[in-house]
Amino acid sequence: MSDSPAGSAFARACAWPALVASCCAILAYGFSQGRPTLFFNLSYAWIIAWLLWLEHRLPYRADWRRADGQVFQDLGHTVLNKGIVQLLIVTLAARGLLDHRSSGFLSTAPMPVQVICGLVGSEFGLYWAHRLKHEWPSLWRFHAVHHSVRKLWLVNTGRFHFVDSLLAVAASLPFFLLSGI
């Protein structure tokens, strides 16, 4: 990768679309092989590896290349808080408590329509939950953990309080349950 300003600008402009496209290709292949869970995890590992490399090569700010002494805390928050919430979702799904696919108004819609509606619906809930977390002091105290980082990078994107993560899931889940996606 070029260290010239033009090369860096080109790399910045192309990196995210290329990562999204490559992850979509990995997922499509996984679905075609009947192994979507394995290939979801492979696409996740793929994007993490590339983002860590890109953040080192093209940091948002040059001084962010230096360690901030928060890696242990960042990983702890990510693994414990986001991981516990993900485990809770998987457990509820495995028990059939989140399986309403056949009863919703979108369950028979074409897959592209379901994807678009799912993204819009979940983002709507997430937007309002996030906004309320900034405006209501009782919610801000949980959300403030997310804003306590010294530098923003991939490892601390999961730095959330457990209650903050649960609220985000709760805000995006109703649409899915009602729609049948």
Side-chain angles (χ1 to χ4, degrees):
M1 185 172 298
S2 173
D3 287 331
S4 72
S8 292
F10 179 76
R12 288 178 194 276
C14 294
W16 189 246
L19 281 172
V20 171
S22 62
C23 284
C24 288
I26 292 168
L27 288 169
Y29 181 76
F31 275 95
S32 74
Q33 299 301 305
R35 302 184 73 182
T37 304
L38 170 64
F39 282 85
F40 170 80
N41 288 307
L42 289 173
S43 71
Y44 200 72
W46 169 260
I47 201 167
I48 288 171
W50 272 104
L51 288 175
L52 286 171
W53 185 79
L54 286 166
E55 284 184 343
H56 175 73
R57 292 287 294 157
L58 297 170
Y60 179 69
R61 292 182 359 202
D63 62 326
W64 283 8
R65 283 192 171 123
R66 290 189 302 272
D68 65 354
Q70 297 289 303
V71 173
F72 180 76
Q73 294 89 332
D74 293 336
L75 288 174
H77 277 283
T78 299
V79 171
L80 292 175
N81 299 324
K82 297 299 270 187
I84 289 170
V85 170
Q86 293 292 10
L87 183 61
L88 178 63
I89 292 169
V90 168
T91 302
L92 291 173
R95 294 184 178 265
L97 298 174
L98 299 179
D99 187 15
H100 291 77
R101 185 148 168 71
S102 62
S103 62
F105 63 92
L106 284 174
S107 62
T108 59
M111 184 59 70
V113 172
Q114 290 184 35
V115 169
I116 292 168
C117 290
L119 288 171
V120 170
S122 65
E123 287 299 319
F124 179 81
L126 290 171
Y127 167 80
W128 284 104
H130 190 231
R131 184 166 176 174
L132 291 174
K133 290 173 194 177
H134 279 262
E135 294 182 7
W136 291 0
S138 59
L139 297 178
W140 171 252
R141 58 182 250 197
F142 298 114
H143 187 63
V145 172
H146 174 63
H147 290 279
S148 66
V149 299
R150 297 178 186 164
K151 73 173 188 175
L152 184 61
W153 67 305
L154 179 66
V155 177
N156 62 22
T157 59
R159 191 172 187 154
F160 288 91
H161 190 281
F162 178 72
V163 172
D164 191 21
S165 295
L166 282 177
L167 290 171
V169 170
S172 63
L173 200 53
F175 175 80
F176 292 111
L177 296 176
L178 292 172
S179 68
I181 293 179

